[in-house]
Amino acid sequence: MLQRFYARDRSSDGRFLTGVLTTGIYCLPSCTARKPRPENVRFFQTQEEARSAGLRPCRRCRPDDFYRAYDPDLHLVETLAADVRRRPGAFADAAAMTAASGIGTTKLSALFRRHWHTTPAAFLARERVAAACRLLADDAAGLTDTAFAVGFESLSAFHDNFRRLTGLTPGDYRRLGASAEFVLALPDDYLAAHVLLHFGRDAASPTERVRGTELAKALRLDGVPARLVVRLEAGAARCRVEAERPVSPEAMRAAHAAAVRILGLGSDAPGFERHLARRPDLARLLEGRRGLRIPLTADAFEGLVWVIVGQQVNLAFAYALRRELIERCGEPAGGGMRTHPTAEAVAALDYADLTARRFSRRKAEYVVDTARLAARGELLPDLLAEGPATRAEQALLAVRGLGPWSVHYFLMRACGFADCVPLGDAGLTTALARFFGLGHRPGVEETAALMEPFAPFRSLATFHLWTTLGDPQ
C-alpha cells in the first residue's frame, strides 16, 4: 500500500485510504500532494476509521467526494464535453470551451488530459468531424452547410480536419454505399508493415487474414456477416466489402469506421514524435519506427474479450483460446472466415462450453459473465470507449476478472485512449529493461516512474516499446 501511495496509483483509489499523521489528513492513494515520510503514514479501510483516528479529508484529492462517486472536476468536464457533442458549432475554438467552463485554460487542459487523454482543441475537432459524419449520412446535407453547422470557419479547415481524422474527403464519405469500395488516404509516414505484422501474428485466425499487403477482417456490418479487405499501398488503403448479399450505406459507414480503427488512424503519432524531440535521451525509441500507430480492435467488445482471454497465459495459447471461442459462436462470413462473436452469442454459452475447449473454469466464468453484463446493457464497451477514460476505468475495475493491467490494455487497444500504461505487463517490463539498460525487470512502481516522461503519450510509448522486442539485442 505504501508503494502504491508513493506511486500515486489511481487504480488503488477505493481500496484503502492513507492517513498522514503530521498533517492530520486522510487521502486517496492517488493524491498528488507531497508525500510524507513512511513513519508518518497509516492506512485505513474506511472513512469512518480515518475520522476515528482524528483525521480530516484532504482538500486536494477530496476522498469523501470519491466515495460518494462524485468528482466535481470530472462533473464539470463531462458536462462541458456533453455540450460540445450536442452542439459543436456553438464553440468557436478551445477558448470558447474555456469560457464556458468557468475555469482557467491551464486547469481545463489538465482535466481533458486526465479524463479524455487529449486537449480541448483536439476534442473539439474530433467532435466536429463526428457531427459532420452524422449530417453527411443524410443525402440532403450540403457540404458547405455541414461545415458551418458543426463550427468550421472555412471549407478548407473542414476538408483538412475531416480527411485527417477519417481518411476521406467529406464528399467521399457522403458517397459511402454507392459501391462496395472506398479508398482511405494514409499519412506519408504510415508504417503498413507493422499493421500487417500485427494482424498476421496468428496465421490460423478465423477472423483475420494477411496475405502480402492485403489484410482481411471478418465483421458484422449492420447485422450482416461480411469481410472487410484492405490492400495497403503507398499513401492509400484500398478497402472493399465482400458479403453474400448487397450491403447497405449504413454497413459501408460501419466498414469505414472499422477500417479507421484497425489501421490506427486515430493515433497522434506526430504529437508523440514532437514530444520525444524535446527529450534526446528518449528520442532513440523512434529509430526505425517513425509513424508507428496503434491498431485498435475492430470494436470494443472484441477488445474486452481479448484482454480476458489473454490474461496470465502465453500469447500462443491465448490465440488458441480465441480461435476456440470464435469457432464456437462466431458467424460464417464467407471465404472460410468467421466474425468475432457478439456479446449476445457469448452470453448464451454455459461455462462448460468453454471448459470443454481448454478454457480454465475461472477464465470461462470471466468471459461469459462479462458478456452477460454487456448483453444486458449493464456494461457497454462501445459507450465506455467514448470516454471519459477515468469513468471507463472505474466501471471496468468493478467487473469481476478485470484488474489494472486488463483495464489499461483495454483502454489503449480497444478505446484508443492515449495515455495508458498496462502496469505489470511482462513484455513492457522486458522492453524497459532493455531500453534503459537496467539489468533487471522493473517492478510496478519503477515501471510507472520510467514511463512518466512519455506522458501524455504513454500508450504509443508502450506500443513502441513492445515493438522493440523484435529488434536485435
Side-chain angles (χ1 to χ4, degrees):
M1 287 190 290
L2 189 67
Q3 288 177 342
R4 291 181 179 273
F5 175 52
Y6 283 156
R8 298 173 178 171
D9 178 20
R10 291 190 183 280
S11 68
S12 294
D13 289 349
R15 300 184 178 189
F16 61 89
L17 289 161
T18 305
V20 183
L21 303 185
T22 49
T23 58
I25 64 173
Y26 61 90
C27 303
L28 296 172
S30 66
C31 186
T32 58
R34 183 179 177 181
K35 298 305 180 187
R37 296 171 62 87
E39 60 266 25
N40 295 322
V41 176
R42 299 292 183 274
F43 297 104
F44 304 95
Q45 291 298 314
T46 66
Q47 300 154 274
E48 291 72 21
E49 288 181 12
R51 290 197 197 98
S52 297
L55 305 180
R56 64 186 187 280
C58 172
R59 292 183 178 179
R60 177 171 295 191
C61 65
R62 296 191 287 262
D64 289 1
D65 283 346
F66 176 87
Y67 278 85
R68 287 197 299 266
Y70 175 71
D71 179 339
D73 286 341
L74 177 56
H75 176 73
L76 182 151
V77 76
E78 277 187 304
T79 301
L80 176 61
D83 198 16
V84 170
R85 282 177 167 156
R86 279 194 304 271
R87 48 192 196 103
F91 297 87
D93 51 25
M97 293 174 62
T98 300
S101 72
I103 59 176
T105 300
T106 300
K107 182 171 182 179
L108 184 65
S109 296
L111 288 177
F112 265 90
R113 281 293 190 193
R114 175 184 171 189
H115 295 296
W116 260 276
H117 296 195
T118 190
T119 64
F123 182 85
L124 178 58
R126 187 179 73 193
E127 294 307 318
R128 283 176 172 174
V129 170
C133 288
R134 293 190 293 271
L135 290 174
L136 291 171
D138 179 1
D139 288 337
L143 297 185
T144 301
D145 291 342
T146 297
F148 294 133
V150 300
F152 287 106
E153 295 182 354
S154 68
L155 286 175
S156 61
F158 175 45
H159 182 280
D160 292 345
N161 280 275
F162 196 96
R163 192 170 185 269
R164 175 175 58 86
L165 293 173
T166 69
L168 296 175
T169 66
D172 286 339
Y173 185 86
R174 188 169 59 180
R175 286 188 288 272
L176 284 174
S179 76
E181 298 183 357
F182 56 90
V183 181
L184 299 180
L186 298 179
D188 292 339
D189 61 355
Y190 190 80
L191 295 181
H194 284 272
V195 174
L196 295 168
L197 180 65
H198 174 79
F199 284 105
R201 290 182 301 175
D202 180 12
S205 172
T207 191
E208 295 108 4
R209 180 180 296 159
V210 172
R211 290 176 177 169
T213 60
E214 197 168 81
L215 159 66
K217 172 67 178 174
L219 300 168
R220 282 176 57 86
L221 301 174
D222 195 26
V224 177
R227 299 179 305 283
L228 172 63
V229 182
V230 182
R231 188 169 78 250
L232 294 170
E233 302 175 352
R238 299 190 176 275
C239 308
R240 69 179 185 274
V241 173
E242 300 175 350
E244 300 305 313
R245 61 180 187 266
V247 293
S248 65
E250 290 80 7
M252 290 303 298
R253 287 191 284 271
H256 166 263
V260 168
R261 286 177 58 85
I262 65 178
L263 295 177
L265 297 185
S267 291
D268 186 10
F272 176 58
E273 291 166 14
R274 288 193 299 271
H275 178 71
L276 288 200
R278 297 189 288 269
R279 292 292 304 265
D281 55 322
L282 303 178
R284 59 191 172 89
L285 181 60
L286 301 174
E287 292 175 6
R289 277 180 291 272
R290 288 187 180 275
L292 184 68
R293 287 159 171 82
I294 302 176
L296 303 184
T297 55
D299 62 54
F301 179 70
E302 181 178 346
L304 188 57
V305 170
W306 172 246
V307 298
I308 299 173
V309 168
Q311 288 173 348
Q312 298 179 334
V313 296
N314 64 57
L315 199 56
F317 189 53
Y319 286 142
L321 294 180
R322 181 173 183 256
R323 291 195 298 269
E324 295 279 7
L325 180 65
I326 294 169
E327 294 291 350
R328 176 63 180 79
C329 51
E331 294 182 74
M337 301 184 72
R338 301 180 74 87
T339 65
H340 188 277
T342 63
E344 292 75 15
V346 179
L349 298 177
D350 291 324
Y351 303 144
D353 292 326
L354 296 183
T355 56
R357 292 174 175 255
R358 297 190 290 170
F359 279 70
S360 68
R361 169 72 182 196
R362 188 63 55 85
K363 194 178 290 288
E365 291 175 2
Y366 292 163
V367 170
V368 173
D369 290 350
T370 302
R372 288 172 180 171
L373 290 175
R376 292 196 301 264
E378 296 174 32
L379 182 71
L380 299 172
D382 288 328
L383 190 61
L384 293 177
E386 295 181 6
T390 43
R391 187 75 75 189
E393 180 178 8
Q394 185 180 16
L396 290 164
L397 285 172
V399 176
R400 178 173 175 260
L402 297 179
W405 175 88
S406 304
V407 170
H408 277 258
Y409 188 95
F410 171 81
L411 294 177
M412 176 174 65
R413 293 295 320 285
C415 303
F417 287 112
D419 201 30
C420 304
V421 182
L423 295 174
D425 183 87
L428 178 59
T429 56
T430 299
L432 284 169
R434 289 180 56 176
F435 184 75
F436 289 105
L438 299 180
H440 65 278
R441 286 171 55 174
V444 169
E445 183 178 355
E446 189 177 4
T447 296
L450 291 170
M451 293 297 293
E452 184 62 32
F454 295 107
F457 299 100
R458 285 177 289 185
S459 295
L460 264 171
T462 298
F463 203 69
H464 271 267
L465 285 161
W466 279 335
T467 307
T468 67
L469 295 175
D471 296 345
Q473 288 273 12

